[in-house]
Amino acid sequence: MQLIYIWLIIACSFFILELVTPGFLLACFGIGALLSTLIALTPLGLVWQVFFFIIGSLLALFFLRPIIIKSSKKKKSLATGIDALIGKKARVVRAIQGQTTQGRIAIDGDEWPAFASNKNTFIEVDQQVIIDRHESIVMFVTPTKNNLE
């Protein structure tokens, strides 16, 4: 069997194994094996092919891998569902008395049960509030600064 086919099999093996491992590590060795495949097309011997495999793999590891890892890092995921409501403004539709009397707020056409984030805060009907957090489906809110003045 010619060396060119052996290097191609090695390269393909590294790329296939990369699919089941994280970190873009085995793909760097696959790149080195592809470089050795090109060298196998020349009259250079096995020693040069192994040399270029090592050099190609190291170059891919030190220069290409950091770029790939940096570009593939997850961006901040978007909040969905009830978590998307945190930080939004809502309108009080039933008065809220601190954390003792549950009120209701309306946001985006839906009504949610709500308590004040501060235990001693009374929030009247039709006041604007900001949703701070939630526990299950119960929202915890604070009045907006416009309401405090």
Side-chain angles (χ1 to χ4, degrees):
M1 191 174 205
Q2 292 183 0
L3 287 175
I4 186 170
Y5 296 119
I6 293 172
W7 284 114
L8 277 175
I9 291 170
I10 292 170
C12 289
S13 298
F14 278 127
F15 287 128
I16 290 170
L17 288 172
E18 177 62 37
L19 295 175
V20 295
T21 59
F24 197 71
L25 180 66
L26 296 178
C28 293
F29 294 113
I31 291 170
L34 282 179
L35 182 61
S36 293
T37 303
L38 295 175
I39 300 303
L41 293 171
T42 68
L44 295 174
L46 181 61
V47 173
W48 283 104
Q49 293 170 25
V50 172
F51 174 75
F52 277 99
F53 170 73
I54 293 169
I55 295 300
S57 298
L58 290 175
L59 287 175
L61 265 171
F62 291 116
F63 294 108
L64 188 58
R65 185 172 185 254
I67 294 170
I68 298 295
I69 288 176
K70 184 177 180 182
S71 68
S72 68
K73 281 194 176 178
K74 292 185 178 181
K75 308 291 189 267
K76 185 179 179 184
S77 61
L78 294 175
T80 58
I82 197 169
D83 293 324
L85 298 177
I86 295 174
K88 287 193 171 186
K89 290 184 180 180
R91 183 178 54 87
V92 176
V93 293
R94 189 166 63 197
I96 302 169
Q97 176 65 45
Q99 293 179 353
T100 56
T101 305
Q102 179 177 316
R104 292 190 73 75
I105 60 171
I107 183 169
D108 296 335
D110 294 322
E111 285 191 14
W112 297 88
F115 286 112
S117 293
N118 185 342
K119 294 179 185 178
N120 302 323
T121 303
F122 178 78
I123 307 171
E124 296 179 15
V125 175
D126 287 330
Q127 280 191 326
Q128 288 277 322
V129 292
I130 296 177
I131 300 172
D132 296 325
R133 63 185 172 93
H134 70 87
E135 290 180 12
S136 185
I137 63 165
V138 179
M139 303 294 173
F140 287 83
V141 298
T142 55
T144 59
K145 292 183 180 181
N146 296 343
N147 296 330
L148 298 175
E149 295 173 352

